[in-house]
């Protein structure tokens, strides 16, 4: 079996907040009639540049066409030589490699008539506990809006939440206080997510201020690649520290300097399922826990993470992938499912990722390219359509 063609389709799917995230749907075709699908998820991130889709398609066809899809390691090495790690959280080369690697996994598992989780070694769980994100407060009036989100999502079975913090600590504190008063022990705050906005001293000050409320961990409490800052927070606070993995060099430094307790692993940020499995294995060897992170993928990307997570022995913290719950639509016939705050691993009775493209939905959300338009930095950081500064 050889790869015979590649199709990339850009879709722009609105979130419930009004922010439109652009994704690239990957289709890898073979000379035997099988097609693997993947997702380059959520290109709508800083840095402020876009990818030319025509050029990307030409380059990827040159790498992939005529290759045996089962040569995963060799093709990932080739992809990495063209789209190298840049030691940056939102490096778009990683996004590209992730979409192709997911499509290759989907294709190989389909050829073997098995789920991707079985292709990767076998599932040890069929559902993954996840949390729902509460996006960052910039204004006090957003507090009641976000408490209403907790109220609504709790009714739907989500009882764990992740709070983005650091822009308005008064509002962050008011939110935590309101949640504690209204919901008590029925709701759990998994983490305070600083998203690299503050230096470690400012983050530590904020953690101490908010420690009157119950949360499990802190995430990204220092600027990107500030390994000493992460270690300082880890040593000086009472909470475990989590950080994303976006390159193997960065993970090596976090291990060498003992900077974190928990590795936040997501295929989109490390460049695919193949790399994510390596990162999780490195964490396991070092005795570190893992959780699945997210950029808020559509169902294809979320399904890939669910299959990955189902195979990990050190996935011992609540994970983040709830993207399909944040969007007003999707591009598959049957979206991934959530039940009682768990992401269900799809496709136990279906080969591959268990996802099937819906061509009508793809046409509904299709956009011509990945260009930015009038998106502001505040929108990119806060994932909203708000224009207040």
């Amino acid at each position: 079996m050889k790869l015979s063609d590649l199709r990339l389709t850009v879709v722009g799917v609105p979130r419930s907040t009004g922010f439109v995230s652009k994704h690239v749907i990957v289709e890898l075709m073979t000379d035997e009639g099988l097609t693997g699908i993947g997702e380059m998820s959520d290109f709508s991130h800083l840095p402020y540049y876009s990818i030319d889709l025509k050029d990307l398609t030409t380059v990827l066809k040159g790498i992939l066409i005529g290759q045996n899809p089962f040569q995963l390691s060799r093709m990932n090495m080739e992809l990495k030589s063209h789209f190298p790690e840049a030691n940056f959280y939102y490096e778009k080369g990683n996004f590209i490699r992730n979409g192709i690697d997911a499509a290759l996994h989907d294709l190989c598992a389909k050829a073997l008539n098995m789920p991707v989780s079985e292709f990767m070694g076998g599932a040890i769980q069929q559902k993954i506990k996840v949390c729902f994100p509460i996006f960052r407060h910039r204004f006090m009036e957003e507090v009641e809006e976000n408490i209403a989100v907790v109220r609504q999502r709790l009714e739907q079975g989500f009882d764990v939440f992740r709070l983005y913090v650091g822009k308005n600590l008064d509002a962050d504190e008011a939110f935590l206080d309101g949640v504690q008063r209204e919901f008590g022990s029925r709701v759990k705050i998994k983490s305070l997510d600083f998203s690299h906005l503050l230096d470690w001293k400012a983050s530590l000050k904020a953690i101490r201020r908010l420690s009157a409320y119950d949360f499990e961990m802190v995430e990204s409490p220092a600027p990107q690649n500030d390994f000493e800052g992460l270690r300082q927070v880890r040593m000086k606070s009472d909470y475990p520290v989590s950080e994303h993995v976006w390159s193997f060099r960065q993970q090596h430094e976090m291990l060498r300097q003992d900077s974190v307790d928990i590795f936040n692993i997501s295929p989109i940020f490390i460049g695919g399922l193949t790399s994510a499995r390596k990162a999780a294995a490195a964490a396991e060897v070092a005795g570190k826990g893992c959780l699945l992170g997210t950029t808020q993928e559509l169902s294809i990307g979320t399904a890939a993470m669910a299959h990955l997570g189902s195979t990990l022995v050190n996935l011992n913290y609540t994970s983040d992938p709830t993207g399909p719950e944040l969007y007003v639509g999707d591009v598959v016939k049957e979206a991934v499912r959530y039940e009682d705050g768990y992401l269900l691993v799809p496709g136990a009775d279906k080969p591959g990722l268990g996802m099937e493209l819906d061509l009508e939905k793809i046409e509904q959300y299709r956009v011509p390219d990945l260009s930015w338009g009038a998106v502001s930095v505040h929108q990119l950081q806060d994932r909203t359509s708000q224009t207040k500064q």
Side-chain angles (χ1 to χ4, degrees):
M1 183 170 63
K2 303 292 184 183
L3 297 173
S4 60
D5 204 0
L6 163 76
R7 180 162 52 237
L8 303 180
T9 305
V10 184
V11 294
V13 184
R15 299 185 181 204
S16 57
T17 61
F19 183 84
V20 177
S21 291
K22 292 185 177 181
H23 316 261
V24 177
I25 306 305
V26 179
E27 295 172 84
L28 274 177
M29 287 72 90
T30 71
D31 57 1
E32 295 186 4
L34 284 176
T35 297
I37 62 173
E39 178 184 306
M40 301 176 188
S41 309
D42 200 3
F43 273 91
S44 303
H45 273 296
L46 292 170
Y48 229 145
Y49 67 84
S50 61
I51 305 296
D52 183 277
L53 195 70
K54 183 178 179 180
D55 286 348
L56 179 60
T57 301
T58 300
V59 170
L60 288 174
K61 282 186 175 183
I63 297 170
L64 298 168
I65 301 308
Q67 300 299 316
N68 177 351
F70 283 93
Q71 296 294 315
L72 286 166
S73 295
R74 187 171 61 79
M75 278 191 286
N76 269 277
M77 290 174 61
E78 183 75 7
L79 287 165
K80 197 169 183 179
S81 71
H82 287 76
F83 307 99
E85 290 182 345
N87 222 30
F88 183 75
Y89 183 20
Y90 294 120
E91 167 52 40
K92 292 174 183 178
N94 290 352
F95 290 24
I96 292 165
R97 290 188 286 116
N98 171 62
I100 298 300
D101 195 39
L104 289 169
H105 275 77
D106 184 55
L107 182 56
C108 292
K110 284 176 177 174
L112 297 173
N113 195 32
M114 62 175 59
V116 164
S117 57
E118 187 173 346
F119 178 65
M120 292 194 296
I124 57 176
Q125 55 189 331
Q126 291 300 328
K127 61 181 183 179
I128 296 165
K129 185 66 176 178
V130 294
C131 62
F132 198 87
I134 301 298
F135 292 103
R136 193 167 282 107
H137 300 97
R138 286 191 291 131
F139 309 101
M140 189 63 73
E141 55 264 33
E142 293 170 329
V143 170
E144 287 303 321
E145 297 172 9
N146 279 334
I147 290 176
V149 172
V150 174
R151 193 178 298 123
Q152 174 195 2
R153 294 299 178 171
L154 182 60
E155 291 178 358
Q156 297 172 351
F158 294 97
D159 58 353
V160 183
F161 295 84
R162 173 168 57 106
L163 177 63
Y164 289 88
V165 298
K167 278 195 174 179
N168 187 329
L169 287 175
D170 290 338
D172 296 337
E173 186 170 17
F175 171 82
L176 290 168
D177 186 70
V179 167
Q180 180 175 282
R181 288 176 182 275
E182 180 171 348
F183 305 106
S185 61
R186 292 186 296 149
V187 163
K188 178 179 178 180
I189 303 297
K190 184 198 83 170
S191 61
L192 304 184
D193 190 340
F194 289 90
S195 301
H196 316 111
L197 289 179
L198 305 179
D199 63 59
W200 72 265
K201 290 183 179 179
S203 291
L204 187 60
K205 185 176 180 180
I207 292 164
R208 288 170 174 166
R209 173 178 174 177
L210 299 176
S211 63
Y213 304 96
D214 188 28
F215 53 90
E216 184 178 7
M217 68 182 75
V218 294
E219 298 191 76
S220 306
Q224 292 187 37
N225 300 316
D226 181 5
F227 309 113
E228 174 61 17
L230 289 172
R231 192 182 71 83
Q232 289 286 349
V233 174
R234 182 171 181 256
M235 294 295 101
K236 296 177 186 297
S237 82
D238 295 327
Y239 299 93
V241 171
S242 171
E243 183 56 284
H244 303 75
V245 180
W246 52 75
S247 80
F248 289 114
R249 177 62 184 173
Q250 174 237 8
Q251 186 180 29
H252 167 79
E253 285 298 323
M254 289 191 288
L255 287 170
R256 188 176 71 85
Q257 300 189 37
D258 205 13
S259 298
V260 301
D261 302 282
I262 305 158
F263 284 107
N264 183 317
I265 294 175
S266 177
I268 186 71
F269 294 126
I270 190 61
L273 290 168
T274 299
S275 293
R277 292 178 68 199
K278 292 179 181 178
E284 181 186 353
V285 170
K288 303 288 187 180
C290 290
L291 61 86
L292 291 178
T294 184
T295 182
Q296 309 306 349
E297 296 80 357
L298 298 173
S299 279
I300 298 170
T302 304
M305 287 192 291
H307 282 278
L308 168 69
S310 74
T311 69
L312 299 182
V313 298
N314 57 335
L315 185 69
N316 39 24
Y317 292 90
T318 301
S319 292
D320 298 339
T322 52
E325 289 290 311
L326 298 177
Y327 292 103
V328 302
D330 214 313
V331 296
V332 294
K333 291 186 175 179
E334 185 176 344
V336 295
R337 293 176 50 229
Y338 296 87
E339 186 177 281
D340 297 328
Y342 286 84
L343 168 63
L344 305 185
V345 181
D349 57 345
K350 298 177 184 178
L353 294 172
M355 295 285 108
E356 184 179 356
L357 295 179
D358 187 319
L359 299 183
E360 290 185 3
K361 292 178 181 176
I362 287 178
E363 287 304 315
Q364 177 183 352
Y365 295 114
R366 183 194 294 265
V367 294
D369 53 44
L370 289 164
S371 62
W372 289 99
V375 178
S376 72
V377 171
H378 282 295
Q379 288 173 282
L380 294 177
Q381 290 179 333
D382 299 341
R383 322 306 286 161
T384 73
S385 61
Q386 296 171 349
T387 57
K388 294 180 290 185
Q389 301 297 319

